[in-house]
Amino acid sequence: MFKKSVLLLALAGVSLTTLAAELRVMTHSSFSLPKERIAEFEKQSGAKLAIIKGGDAGEMLNKLILTRANPVADVVYGIDNTLIGKANAAGVLEPTSSKVGRNVAVASLPGAVAIDYGYVTLNIDKAWFAGSKLPLPATLDDLTRPAYKDLLVVENPATSSPGLAFLLATIAGKGEEGAFQWWGKLRDNGLKVAKGWSEAYYTDFTRNGGARPIVVSYATSPAAEVFYSKEKLAESPTANLLLKGGVFMQVEGVARVKGGLQPALAQQFVDFLRGEAVQKELQTSMWMYPAVAGVALAPVFKHAAQPASFSNPDLKAMQHKTAAWVSRWTRLVIKNAP
Amino acid sequence: MQKVLPLSDYRWLALPPLSFLLLLVGLPLSRLLYEGGLAFSPALLGDAYLQWRLGWSLLQAAATCALTLLLGLPLAWVLAHFEFRGRTLLLRVLMLPFVMPTLVAGLGVLALFGPHGLSGLNLQDTPWLLLYGNLFYNLPLLIRAAVDGFDHVPASRLMVARTLGASRWRTFWRVEWPVVRPWLASALCLIFLYCFSGFGLALLLGGQRYATVEVEIYSLVAYELNLADAGALALLMLLLGAVIALLYALIERRLARPDKRSPPLRQPVQGWPQRLLLLASLLLLALFAAAPLLAVLLRALLADAAAWRVLLQDDTQLALGNTLRFSLLALLLATLLGLLHGLAAQRSAGLRALMFLPFMVSPVCVAFGLLLAYPAYSATLALLVAAYALLAYPFVAKAVVSARDALPAALPNAARTLGASPWRVFWRVSLPLMRPALRRGMAFAAATAVGEFAVSLFLSRPEWLTLTTLIYQHLGRPGAANLEAALVLSSVLLLLALLAFMAIEWPEKTHARTS
């Protein structure tokens, strides 16, 4: 059956078949691995790897859902815990597991194989706070006080995944009603909303010439600031501001796509991502923590405090309520409705 | 004997561009609307906020049109009437804003008018900055079109007017304005559609308050997969866009008139009033079109020498090669389609309006529609290049229509009576007369092809990395080195684009003979 369909497709001239089998990997736009790793996989498996980038993770999943009758990929990387419920409900994934490695405690993803995890949280510009003598906010509620007026920029949860993750954390941390009350106060206290992470970080954050010293970013960003600095820095110019209800833990995973043409190769790719080499290298190529237990952390990660706790809504709630939460947020914060 | 068609009736030429539009816009959009069904929320259009957004989208587009016209027309007049050193180069440089990725342009604008801007003025999150951004992107379009228009004013008529003692103003109003009007119409239509459905810069500079409807559609499709509501909104936008385009087409067709072509009459700058006028014009141009670019260049030049090492990286080499390759392919396809569509559209207002279809449809709806309609081709290079060409070809078509309108009938007719075949007439008479406008259209088409518009919405592959995507990759990560790499790469992009514009619009010596 499988061979027959491959043959039919080839005959129809639909696939761009070369002599070697091709494994189509759908990823979000932040996927990045060293070229040598990709070449190594191609050599091991004898297959050609076609990486297809589908935009932001949410956009990518929707593209998979739309094309489920004629899947455009055999395996997908980048579905995270905010999306896995939707993906499973839409039936675009083949339940996938891997025998390689053991998960660290926090990292698991139903129906998919966890590859990495990280945290969305507030980042601050250290120099700005040192100069202003303002103490760092100690709670989320502090951010609604007049002293902290006009200091925060967040990404719009309707157009950005870190923005969505931060909204989800506040809902889990404060309860739905409490969270939206807080957002209302925050809006009145001069909250700035940016379209996406790049806009927030590079046009609004004081570190890069903007006017806001607090930004929603990732817990590994301070380490990346050191890694991508111009001169050797002894410490990061930014730091995590880990507030209760302001930290979201994100787990990203990989899974075979239902109806994919290369299930065996897809499984091989899943196992490859769990391998030690990839688990080590993804840390500084994608700025996430390895999901496999026992993998050494990159030395530069000492510049980023790893959060001890976080607040995530449960997977079921995220699957069923996210859309309603986002439209409520839009009504409240953007449309300025009571 | 072969039936000879009158020169102006080339409507059948529209067949390839129309099929292209059907394949790349019509079918995918219908497929998406079908998938969404008719179950859109009835409350959608009653939502006061959405109505406000729609109103705002229309208002800022109209305001930008008015401002570009007010500012652009006098500047174009000066550029068209005076000969000075570097004039040709200036006209090429003018198009550079078009290639700048939105986020980088935003960085440039904020470096001037941001919280720590060089001007000392902080305009971030005000509508002023948004209008400035819109002027920055759209002024070049209007000025280039208007200069072309002024160049079509027959020199003899200008001289007659002056000999008869008409003032400059009267000459402008009675002799030049009627000739320039149709050239402005298409540029203004394009500017309106651009701002109306704009996505990037308005949001970046004006903040979320000034988001356009297209942002709503994007989030409905890409994040919520609510195709019914998105489809309804996209159709509404398409309808409004179509009304504007049709209006333009009717106006332009009415205004259009052929003119005797003669080489433009340009005088050297003499005396201090003229010098002052030129200086003021150049300063205005520098403020509205060049300043953000200069800010980016300056920041790149001030970057560490280490930052320039990004040019030696494999990724950069790949991106450079791809940018050249894709732009060239897209430009070829866009020129072919634009030429055919432009030639076919002369008699038909419908065809004129249709050439702006790529700017009337919601890009995110087209991208998702293409995925639905042709899943097997969704990650192929052919589709990507076709998408680039789709967004580039209206520039060519628009320029060809304007040039074709201004073409004097006498020359081709004379050639026909002398026994030249229609093809020969086109090749030896009509095309050479239209060439300057065609080249300008091609330069703009090339500029959009290098730009970002299509890139992020379509499926893409790492091996298709272009300069624009590479710049966005760097700006997708924290760290000073990434910011500097993005600025350096943007400067390279500017330089490359300038070279491309000079190559496409190489000054022609030959058409002086046509007078």
Side-chain angles (χ1 to χ4, degrees):
Chain A
M1 175 68 199
F2 164 65
K3 269 187 182 158
K4 208 165 146 192
S5 59
V6 169
L7 195 70
L8 277 175
L9 278 176
L11 281 176
V14 168
S15 66
L16 292 168
T17 23
T18 45
L19 285 175
E22 187 187 56
L23 178 69
R24 301 167 302 167
V25 184
M26 177 81 112
T27 73
H28 54 51
S29 46
S30 314
F31 173 81
S32 158
L33 277 182
K35 281 193 193 68
E36 304 80 62
R37 263 330 122 247
I38 305 280
E40 190 185 296
F41 176 79
E42 289 185 331
K43 205 167 151 212
Q44 272 174 15
S45 63
K48 193 176 164 349
L49 214 50
I51 311 253
I52 301 167
K53 294 195 169 184
D56 199 340
E59 193 179 328
M60 168 188 83
L61 174 59
N62 283 342
K63 285 178 177 169
L64 276 183
I65 293 176
L66 271 189
T67 54
R68 74 193 130 181
N70 306 286
V72 292
D74 308 309
V75 58
V76 55
Y77 163 80
I79 305 263
D80 67 9
N81 45 339
T82 63
L83 298 169
I84 191 75
K86 183 177 174 183
N88 284 331
V92 290
L93 302 183
E94 201 68 68
T96 308
S97 60
S98 172
K99 293 197 177 70
V100 181
R102 181 174 51 80
N103 277 347
V104 295
V106 284
S108 76
L109 217 49
V113 176
I115 297 301
D116 53 68
Y117 69 100
Y119 304 88
V120 170
T121 185
L122 298 172
N123 278 193
I124 54 142
D125 175 2
K126 280 186 191 166
W128 189 92
F129 273 96
S132 75
K133 306 276 193 301
L134 191 68
L136 287 175
T139 62
L140 283 184
D141 288 324
D142 278 352
L143 289 168
T144 63
R145 285 172 30 208
Y148 295 97
K149 193 171 168 45
D150 294 339
L151 297 191
L152 172 63
V153 55
V154 302
E155 296 87 2
N156 189 338
T159 50
S160 150
S161 16
L164 177 61
F166 186 69
L167 169 64
L168 292 172
T170 60
I171 289 172
K174 290 177 158 291
E176 188 173 337
E177 290 314 310
F180 281 105
Q181 270 170 26
W182 177 78
W183 279 104
K185 285 187 209 154
L186 203 60
R187 172 199 70 197
D188 297 336
N189 205 32
L191 170 73
K192 166 102 193 247
V193 179
K195 184 176 125 205
W197 182 90
S198 298
E199 287 82 2
Y201 206 80
Y202 281 106
T203 67
D204 290 310
F205 192 31
T206 42
R207 165 101 186 112
N208 293 306
R212 313 265 165 165
I214 313 175
V215 60
V216 171
S217 187
Y218 299 91
T220 52
S221 302
E225 281 281 352
V226 175
F227 190 83
Y228 294 116
S229 63
K230 286 191 280 179
E231 62 282 339
K232 281 267 173 288
L233 290 177
E235 61 169 313
S236 176
T238 67
N240 289 331
L241 179 63
L242 304 171
L243 303 180
K244 188 178 172 299
V247 181
F248 184 86
M249 203 221 31
Q250 185 195 16
V251 187
E252 287 186 309
V254 64
R256 284 179 289 136
V257 174
K258 196 168 273 176
L261 300 174
Q262 303 280 4
L265 276 175
Q267 183 61 45
Q268 221 176 324
F269 184 73
V270 170
D271 295 338
F272 162 75
L273 290 186
R274 296 276 290 185
E276 194 168 357
V278 171
Q279 288 287 312
K280 267 196 176 138
E281 279 168 338
L282 66 81
Q283 297 178 40
T284 51
S285 71
M286 294 195 268
W287 295 96
M288 299 294 272
Y289 294 100
V292 172
V295 176
L297 284 191
V300 74
F301 274 37
K302 71 169 188 273
H303 294 285
Q306 191 164 347
S309 65
F310 53 85
S311 46
N312 286 18
D314 65 62
L315 291 176
K316 267 236 140 49
M318 286 199 280
Q319 180 191 335
H320 295 294
K321 292 191 180 159
T322 298
W325 284 335
V326 171
S327 59
R328 183 170 176 188
W329 184 93
T330 308
R331 260 197 325 275
L332 177 74
V333 177
I334 305 280
K335 303 188 181 177
N336 216 347
Chain B
M1 205 179 122
Q2 205 186 346
K3 193 187 162 209
V4 177
L5 286 162
L7 187 72
S8 48
D9 200 8
Y10 282 149
R11 246 174 281 188
W12 54 273
L13 285 177
L15 212 60
L18 288 187
S19 327
F20 182 77
L21 285 180
L22 187 70
L23 280 175
L24 254 84
V25 177
L27 285 177
L29 200 62
S30 323
R31 185 70 185 78
L32 189 87
L33 291 172
Y34 175 77
E35 187 84 11
L38 289 170
F40 63 89
S41 348
L44 189 68
L45 298 179
D47 180 18
Y49 180 74
L50 197 71
Q51 289 169 356
W52 186 86
R53 245 183 215 202
L54 200 62
W56 167 250
S57 297
L58 287 167
L59 183 75
Q60 56 105 21
T64 307
C65 279
L67 276 177
T68 42
L69 185 64
L70 226 60
L71 196 66
L73 193 60
L75 290 174
W77 189 89
V78 172
L79 291 181
H81 282 78
F82 295 108
E83 192 58 71
F84 54 92
R85 254 157 68 136
R87 183 183 165 279
T88 322
L89 183 67
L90 181 70
L91 287 176
R92 315 288 182 270
V93 172
L94 252 184
M95 288 186 293
L96 286 179
F98 246 74
V99 295
M100 215 60 279
T102 316
L103 188 51
V104 182
L107 288 176
V109 172
L110 290 173
L112 298 168
F113 301 110
H116 309 285
L118 289 173
S119 67
L121 222 63
N122 181 9
L123 299 177
Q124 196 173 20
D125 300 332
T126 64
W128 302 116
L129 207 56
L130 180 134
L131 285 177
Y132 176 80
N134 275 352
L135 276 176
F136 168 72
Y137 268 116
N138 293 305
L139 207 53
L141 259 175
L142 189 108
I143 293 184
R144 290 301 316 264
V147 169
D148 262 9
F150 282 117
D151 281 357
H152 274 81
V153 179
S156 53
R157 230 182 294 163
L158 278 180
M159 287 192 278
V160 168
R162 262 180 238 164
T163 326
L164 294 176
S167 66
R168 280 246 194 238
W169 170 249
R170 209 177 148 74
T171 315
F172 167 76
W173 194 240
R174 300 301 293 269
V175 179
E176 295 176 295
W177 175 241
V179 178
V180 176
R181 266 185 315 188
W183 292 82
L184 296 176
S186 59
L188 285 173
C189 175
L190 198 59
I191 292 172
F192 189 95
L193 290 176
Y194 248 160
C195 297
F196 184 50
S197 60
F199 193 112
L201 200 67
L203 203 52
L204 183 65
L205 296 175
Q208 297 282 322
R209 257 177 308 161
Y210 304 110
T212 48
V213 180
E214 181 55 30
V215 177
E216 188 83 9
I217 299 178
Y218 170 79
S219 136
L220 281 172
V221 174
Y223 276 76
E224 293 176 36
L225 209 60
N226 180 349
L227 299 182
D229 284 0
L233 276 184
L235 270 186
L236 179 70
M237 293 293 281
L238 177 61
L239 219 63
L240 286 169
V243 169
I244 297 293
L246 210 60
L247 211 64
Y248 135 78
L250 291 171
I251 291 175
E252 191 185 60
R253 210 177 48 151
R254 229 174 67 91
L255 294 179
R257 52 185 223 188
D259 264 304
K260 275 191 233 118
R261 189 72 205 280
S262 60
L265 192 66
R266 269 187 263 285
Q267 41 177 287
V269 184
Q270 290 161 331
W272 64 265
Q274 288 189 2
R275 278 205 193 107
L276 228 61
L277 181 68
L278 183 64
L279 189 70
S281 308
L282 293 182
L283 281 177
L284 271 177
L285 269 180
L287 174 65
F288 283 101
L293 300 178
L294 288 175
V296 169
L297 276 178
L298 190 69
R299 288 182 69 176
L301 289 175
L302 291 177
D304 287 3
W308 287 82
R309 238 172 272 150
V310 70
L311 298 182
L312 301 175
Q313 286 171 8
D314 289 351
D315 272 357
T316 311
Q317 310 281 325
L318 175 70
L320 271 171
N322 280 342
T323 301
L324 292 174
R325 203 157 52 102
F326 296 170
S327 308
L328 195 68
L329 284 174
L331 181 62
L332 285 176
L333 187 56
T335 305
L336 183 69
L337 292 168
L339 201 57
L340 291 174
H341 198 147
L343 288 173
Q346 208 209 357
R347 283 277 181 87
S348 152
L351 279 178
R352 278 178 198 246
L354 258 182
M355 74 192 177
F356 287 117
L357 184 67
F359 297 126
M360 291 182 237
V361 287
S362 152
V364 67
C365 286
V366 171
F368 275 71
L370 282 169
L371 204 59
L372 270 173
Y374 321 111
Y377 294 93
S378 57
T380 59
L381 195 57
L383 194 70
L384 191 77
V385 169
Y388 276 123
L390 177 73
L391 294 164
Y393 105 84
F395 290 96
V396 180
K398 169 178 101 66
V400 169
V401 161
S402 298
R404 182 69 189 76
D405 281 342
L407 201 66
L411 288 178
N413 283 349
R416 292 287 287 130
T417 16
L418 293 174
S421 67
W423 172 248
R424 203 175 154 78
V425 173
F426 172 72
W427 192 248
R428 298 303 294 271
V429 181
S430 309
L431 189 63
L433 286 171
M434 295 193 290
R435 204 176 294 152
L438 176 65
R439 288 185 167 197
R440 174 175 56 85
M442 285 170 69
F444 273 112
T448 41
V450 210
E452 66 182 317
F453 212 43
V455 184
S456 58
L457 293 171
F458 294 88
L459 292 184
S460 111
R461 300 185 182 221
E463 60 268 31
W464 298 345
L465 188 73
T466 61
L467 272 178
T468 315
T469 25
L470 184 60
I471 290 168
Y472 273 105
Q473 266 180 27
H474 280 291
L475 290 177
R477 289 180 175 162
N482 277 317
L483 179 58
E484 290 199 335
L487 293 169
V488 166
L489 289 170
S490 302
S491 310
V492 172
L493 183 65
L494 285 179
L495 190 73
L496 256 184
L498 187 60
L499 289 177
F501 296 159
M502 309 244 281
I504 294 172
E505 286 198 275
W506 200 254
E508 284 186 78
K509 296 265 185 282
T510 45
H511 73 240
R513 280 186 289 142
T514 58
S515 58

